[in-house]
Amino acid sequence: MNPLRLAQLEMFCAVVEEGTVVGASRRLNCVASNVTARLRELELLLERDLFVRTKGRLNLTPEGRLFYRQAVPLIRGAQDLAGLFADKTPRGILTVGALDVALQGYLPSVVPQFLENCPGVELRMLMRPTYTIERMLMDGEIDLALTDGPIVHPMMDSRFAFREDLALVLPQGQEVPQEGQHVFLFNTDCFYRRYFEIWLRKQGVTSSIIHTVESYDVILACVRAGLGISCFPQSILAGVAGERRQGMEILYPADLQGSEVYFVWREPGVTDLARQFVDFAEKLHSFTKNE
C-alpha cells in the first residue's frame, strides 16, 4: 500500500469542513480539479468511499466520518510542527556528556539559569568518564561534552570551561604514599585514574594493589579505615564536610596538578543550540568571577 500524503489529508479535511470542493479549493488556494483528483487518489489508496456524491453535494460515509476523526489531529500536529521554530525561541533536545566534576561543581550554577532563559529546550545530561565521553562525541551520541582538555583532534574543537585541582587523600597521620599500599580509584576509562597512576610511579610507588571502586563514598570509607589512599577531584571533595572528613589527610602536592576541563564539540561546527549553551555558561561564570 502506498503511503498517505499530507496534502491528501489536508484537502480531504478542507472539503469536509467547507462542505464543497469549490470551497476547499478557495481555502487552499488551488484549482477545484486538483482537490477532486486528490480525493479520488485517497479513496483508491484506502479502497473505501469517503463521500456519498449527490448532485451538488458531498456527504461523508460512515468510513469517511471515522477517517476524518483520525485525520484532524494529524493535520493540526503538522501545522504545529510547521510553526515550531517560527518565534525564534531556542528549542530542541540538547544532549550533553559531562564529567562528574562538571556536574558537581560547575553545571549546578549554569543549568537552572539556562533553562529559565530557554524554557523550550529539553536537556539530557549524562555523567560519563573521559574516554567514554570522547567516544560518544565522535559517534554523534552527544552534541556537546564537558571533559578533560584541550582536545587536539582534526574533527573536534574546544573551549576552556574551568580548572579542576586534584587532591591526595590519605589515612590520618600519613603524608606520602607508601610502596605496596592499596589504592582506591575509579574505572580505567577515567582520565584522573591514569593520571594518578603515572604520578604514583614517579613517587616510586610501583607495586600497589589498585582497587576499582565507582563510588566516592566507598572510597572515602576505605581511606578513613586506614586501608589505603586515593586521588579526589577538588569539586567532589567540596561536598565532603564535617564528620566525613575525619580520619583523613587531604593534601594538594605541587606536582599533582589536576587538569583543565573544556567544552568539546565535533567539527565542522557546534550546533546553534550547543553554542548557545556554551556561550551562556561562559558569560555566567565570567560575570560571577567579576562580582
Side-chain angles (χ1 to χ4, degrees):
M1 179 179 176
N2 293 326
L4 297 175
R5 289 179 291 172
L6 184 62
Q8 293 170 330
L9 301 182
E10 287 178 329
M11 290 184 182
F12 168 74
C13 290
V15 170
V16 174
E17 291 160 7
E18 296 296 328
T20 64
V21 169
V22 173
S25 67
R26 290 172 180 166
R27 172 170 150 181
L28 298 173
N29 195 27
C30 63
V31 297
S33 60
N34 190 22
V35 176
T36 300
R38 298 293 84 77
L39 291 182
R40 289 294 187 188
E41 287 177 359
L42 187 58
E43 289 179 317
L44 287 172
L45 281 172
L46 298 172
E47 298 181 349
R48 293 290 187 279
D49 289 331
L50 299 176
F51 295 97
V52 175
R53 291 166 172 83
T54 57
K55 187 175 182 180
R57 297 184 63 180
L58 288 175
N59 295 316
L60 283 171
T61 63
E63 293 86 352
R65 293 189 197 99
L66 176 62
F67 190 77
Y68 176 71
R69 188 175 70 182
Q70 299 292 97
V72 168
L74 298 178
I75 298 298
R76 290 175 180 168
Q79 292 170 346
D80 291 341
L81 282 175
L84 187 60
F85 305 107
D87 60 0
K88 307 302 181 183
T89 300
R91 298 181 190 277
I93 301 172
L94 179 64
T95 305
V96 181
L99 297 176
D100 50 5
V101 296
L103 288 166
Q104 183 78 17
Y106 182 80
L107 290 172
S109 61
V110 174
V111 171
Q113 294 194 49
F114 176 78
L115 292 178
E116 186 175 344
N117 281 269
C118 303
V121 175
E122 177 185 331
L123 271 182
R124 294 179 179 173
M125 309 214 75
L126 311 176
M127 185 176 72
R128 299 289 188 274
T130 303
Y131 302 109
T132 300
I133 288 176
E134 292 177 9
R135 191 270 305 162
M136 292 176 72
L137 191 62
M138 287 299 299
D139 291 346
E141 296 177 32
I142 57 177
D143 305 302
L144 186 66
L146 261 170
T147 187
D148 306 290
I151 300 293
V152 180
H153 193 286
M155 296 181 64
M156 292 187 185
D157 202 355
S158 60
R159 188 190 300 180
F160 175 78
F162 66 97
R163 177 171 181 79
E164 184 62 39
D165 294 324
L166 293 179
L168 176 63
V169 183
L170 312 100
Q172 191 168 27
Q174 184 179 336
E175 295 185 355
V176 295
Q178 300 171 359
E179 176 68 15
Q181 189 170 32
H182 289 214
V183 180
F184 299 90
L185 296 172
F186 261 60
N187 211 339
T188 54
D189 56 357
C190 173
F191 171 81
Y192 297 134
R193 172 174 176 145
R194 297 191 184 183
Y195 181 85
F196 190 59
E197 288 176 345
I198 294 171
W199 184 84
L200 284 174
R201 287 196 291 270
K202 290 180 180 179
Q203 309 307 307
V205 179
T206 59
S207 61
S208 295
I209 296 176
I210 299 180
H211 300 277
T212 298
V213 182
E214 294 192 348
S215 165
Y216 287 117
D217 288 336
V218 173
I219 291 175
L220 286 176
C222 291
V223 174
R224 283 197 300 267
L227 298 177
I229 65 173
S230 186
C231 170
F232 262 60
Q234 194 277 332
S235 295
I236 302 298
L237 278 175
V240 179
E243 295 181 357
R244 296 178 66 204
R245 284 179 175 258
Q246 294 179 7
M248 298 185 302
E249 301 290 344
I250 299 174
L251 305 176
Y252 290 89
D255 57 346
L256 188 62
Q257 297 179 355
S259 68
E260 293 181 337
V261 178
Y262 280 68
F263 286 106
V264 186
W265 57 86
R266 297 183 308 278
E267 288 291 6
V270 63
T271 64
D272 290 341
L273 193 53
R275 182 173 295 282
Q276 288 182 55
F277 186 82
V278 173
D279 291 344
F280 184 89
E282 185 178 62
K283 187 179 298 184
L284 178 64
H285 276 270
S286 296
F287 177 78
T288 303
K289 289 178 182 178
N290 293 330
E291 283 187 327

